[in-house]
């Protein structure tokens, strides 16, 4: 496995003299600088992979966008403020990691990455998401956590293969309507936003196993939430709940009250409940209460 480029080598590549590199059968001829970068790629779990993480980059080398056979690209933990339209030329990308940069936007050309299955764009400065991202219909994992996002474009409703969506630590007041169309979702993380309610359409997420909405201002839970019989972890810690629906007993996979963040079950601490938790749940959970006791 090849070593990663140093910062000085990247600078040399970016400004170095260009000349034609070796022509490969499966790829057009590359500039000399692009060939230098390509030699740093490796095959990881069968994918052509390049990591330029933690290189102090304020912009990606222009020659990077020539590597059209690249499948996994890691640009995390740099100082990138923007990405060029040329990102769309990497149309074989399956995984793109942009975590921990200074990105204020994503280029519309990201919609050209039709094979993309995983996108990490968390810990940036995004205030919106381009509508064109909805064209990445093969996406399975999308993390937009720790940004400044208040809404999502309706085009993301086309992401029927999405199983994990992380929107935590943003500025979301209402769960975006497009989320309720993501019928394949198994994991939905909305902690530390500005939510006050959850719409009745939550019942449409029939495959949901994990729902995390802690650290919001939610006053009530909809009865339709209780139709999600696949739900194994529900975290409503640190909200404004005074009660829960009587129909909670239908969530038979929430086998106990949970304390540790990774535990399955019902997380409901730090809410202004009008009654002790066992009384709040007693209406419909008398038959299951023994399973709901902390262990």
């Amino acid at each position: 496995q090849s070593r990663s480029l140093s910062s000085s080598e990247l600078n040399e590549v970016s400004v170095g003299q260009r000349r034609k590199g070796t022509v490969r059968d499966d790829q057009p001829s590359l500039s000399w600088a692009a060939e230098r970068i390509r030699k740093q790629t490796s095959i990881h779990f069968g994918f052509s992979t390049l990591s330029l993480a933690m290189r102090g980059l304020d912009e990606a080398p222009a020659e990077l966008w020539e590597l059209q056979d690249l499948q996994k690209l890691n640009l995390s933990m740099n100082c990138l403020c923007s990405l060029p339209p040329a990102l769309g030329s990497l149309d074989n990308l399956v995984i793109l990691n942009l975590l921990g940069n200074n990105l204020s936007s994503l280029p519309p050309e990201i919609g050209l990455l039709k094979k993309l299955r995983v996108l990490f764009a968390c810990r940036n400065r995004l205030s919106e998401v381009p509508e064109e991202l909805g064209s990445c219909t093969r996406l399975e994992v999308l993390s937009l956590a720790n940004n400044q996002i208040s809404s999502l474009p309706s085009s993301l409703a086309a992401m029927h293969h999405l199983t994990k969506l992380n929107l935590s630590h943003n500025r979301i007041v209402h769960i975006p309507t497009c989320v309720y169309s993501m019928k394949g979702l198994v994991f939905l993380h909305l902690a530390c936003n500005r939510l006050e309610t959850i719409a009745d359409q939550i019942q449409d997420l029939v495959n949901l196993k994990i729902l995390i909405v802690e650290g919001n201002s939610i006053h009530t839970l909809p009865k339709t939430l209780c139709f999600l019989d696949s739900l194994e972890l529900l975290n409503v810690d640190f909200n404004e709940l005074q009660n829960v629906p009587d129909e909670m007993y239908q969530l038979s996979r929430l086998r106990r009250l949970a304390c540790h963040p990774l535990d399955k079950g019902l997380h409901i601490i730090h809410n202004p409940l009008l009654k002790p938790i066992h009384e709040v749940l007693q209406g419909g959970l008398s038959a299951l209460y023994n399973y709901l006791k902390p262990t």
Side-chain angles (χ1 to χ4, degrees):
Q1 188 173 18
S2 303
R3 66 182 178 84
S4 299
L5 284 171
S6 67
S7 298
S8 61
E9 286 175 322
L10 282 170
N11 290 332
E12 176 186 349
V13 166
S14 296
V15 300
Q17 178 184 5
R18 292 173 177 269
R19 59 184 174 81
K20 293 296 181 182
T22 303
V23 178
R24 304 192 319 172
D25 293 337
D26 60 347
Q27 170 176 310
S29 60
L30 301 176
S31 66
W32 168 78
E35 186 66 26
R36 286 283 305 275
I37 296 180
R38 187 191 65 78
K39 290 179 179 178
Q40 308 307 312
T41 63
S42 62
I43 301 300
H44 187 246
F45 292 107
F47 293 100
S48 173
T49 302
L50 175 64
S51 177
L52 299 178
M54 295 185 289
R55 294 291 179 267
L57 299 173
D58 54 13
E59 62 179 11
E63 295 80 10
L64 170 62
W65 316 116
E66 295 182 45
L67 305 182
Q68 296 179 10
D69 59 346
L70 202 59
Q71 295 172 292
K72 295 174 65 174
L73 175 60
N74 187 349
L75 289 169
S76 65
M77 306 302 292
N78 281 292
C79 304
L80 302 175
C81 294
S82 64
L83 293 171
L87 172 66
S89 65
L90 302 185
D91 54 5
N92 283 302
L93 276 185
V94 175
I95 298 176
L96 177 58
N97 189 346
L98 303 172
L99 179 152
N101 281 281
N102 296 318
L103 297 172
S104 58
S105 64
L106 297 174
E109 289 78 10
I110 197 168
L112 298 175
L113 307 182
K114 305 295 186 182
K115 297 180 181 179
L116 199 63
R117 298 208 304 260
V118 178
L119 174 59
F120 295 114
C122 37
R123 297 185 186 178
N124 278 280
R125 298 180 179 179
L126 301 176
S127 58
E128 58 183 17
V129 176
E131 182 177 351
E132 291 80 1
L133 184 61
S135 296
C136 300
T137 55
R138 295 189 186 182
L139 266 179
E140 299 173 8
V141 177
L142 175 59
S143 179
L144 297 167
N146 294 89
N147 279 287
Q148 302 167 19
I149 296 168
S150 58
S151 64
L152 295 178
S154 59
S155 61
L156 269 59
M159 293 184 176
H160 300 306
H161 295 287
L162 202 66
T163 60
K164 296 181 181 179
L165 176 61
N166 190 341
L167 295 170
S168 63
H169 295 85
N170 276 287
R171 300 176 179 179
I172 298 172
V173 177
H174 303 287
I175 298 177
T177 303
C178 63
V179 171
Y180 298 119
S181 297
M182 300 173 180
K183 303 296 176 58
L185 278 183
V186 174
F187 173 95
L188 178 57
H189 199 338
L190 285 157
C192 301
N193 276 281
R194 301 174 181 179
L195 298 176
E196 295 184 3
T197 59
I198 297 176
D200 287 341
Q201 293 99 308
I202 192 71
Q203 66 180 321
D204 295 338
L205 302 181
V206 294
N207 293 300
L208 202 61
K209 292 184 178 181
I210 297 175
L211 176 59
I212 302 173
V213 291
E214 67 173 315
N216 283 281
S217 300
I218 298 172
H219 295 276
T220 59
L221 296 176
K223 293 181 180 180
T224 55
L225 178 66
C226 305
F227 300 156
L228 300 179
D229 53 13
S230 294
L231 207 60
E232 298 176 356
L233 188 157
L234 174 60
N235 190 333
V236 294
D237 289 345
F238 296 95
N239 275 282
E240 301 296 331
L241 295 174
Q242 295 185 353
N243 215 319
V244 297
D246 290 341
E247 293 81 1
M248 286 284 285
Y249 74 93
Q250 297 180 36
L251 298 175
S252 59
R253 297 194 182 191
L254 295 182
R255 294 186 176 276
R256 62 193 181 97
L257 294 174
C259 297
H260 190 279
L262 297 180
D263 285 348
K264 293 181 179 180
L266 175 62
H267 300 248
I268 197 170
I269 63 170
H270 296 286
N271 279 277
L273 297 171
L274 296 177
K275 301 177 182 178
I277 184 60
H278 68 277
E279 293 184 26
V280 171
L281 298 176
Q282 191 172 5
L285 282 172
S286 56
L288 294 172
Y289 180 60
N290 289 332
Y291 294 102
L292 285 167
K293 292 180 181 179
T295 57

